[in-house]
Amino acid sequence: MGTSSRFVMESLYPLACDSASVLEGAVLVQGASNDTCALPSGASSRQQILGLCYQDFNGAAGSPVTIVAPGAIFPGIAAGSITRGDVVVIGGATGTVVSVSATTPVDATRVGVAMESVSSGERVAILIGASQSF
């Protein structure tokens, strides 16, 4: 993750998390109620993204978690090979990301744009929210 700057203090905000365990860099979406967040329901979800998890979270559901807001560059977790410049979508229920492909539903929520090329399992710098959903 050479491109990404981790100085994102102006882009951080806390929300109560409906999920009990979240990895740093996992995509977080709107939760079940007001002012909450959660891990996505699955790959190519249409859920509204709130950002990426700032640091590992292992707490009780309802505890606060810190989120990196759209507009920042922060490393996500690749669930497949990603090429720099690819638009990425939610890759699974653990908050990973994958590149958009011909089989991606047109209404899948776009997480952002990859700033570097990586292999599956690696961290990938993402310009969060840089791509519109169609």
Side-chain angles (χ1 to χ4, degrees):
M1 212 229 22
T3 320
S4 179
S5 168
R6 287 183 176 241
F7 186 73
V8 293
M9 296 309 199
E10 295 177 4
S11 300
L12 300 179
Y13 64 98
L15 281 181
C17 188
D18 293 341
S19 303
S21 181
V22 182
L23 293 175
E24 176 188 329
V27 176
L28 290 169
V29 298
Q30 286 182 331
S33 59
N34 292 341
D35 300 322
T36 64
C37 64
L39 287 168
S41 59
S44 299
S45 168
R46 296 181 310 199
Q47 296 168 286
Q48 180 62 45
I49 68 156
L50 298 176
L52 301 182
C53 186
Y54 180 63
Q55 57 193 10
D56 287 345
F57 171 76
N58 292 303
S63 297
V65 65
T66 303
I67 299 172
V68 180
I73 297 174
F74 197 74
I77 306 162
S81 294
I82 296 174
T83 302
R84 181 174 50 93
D86 283 357
V87 173
V88 293
V89 296
I90 297 168
T94 58
T96 57
V97 295
V98 294
S99 295
V100 169
S101 69
T103 59
T104 302
V106 295
D107 59 351
T109 301
R110 275 47 178 171
V111 174
V113 175
M115 303 298 291
E116 57 196 353
S117 299
V118 298
S119 299
S120 183
E122 294 182 334
R123 303 301 300 270
V124 56
I126 301 169
L127 178 53
I128 307 166
S131 179
Q132 297 177 354
S133 295
F134 298 107

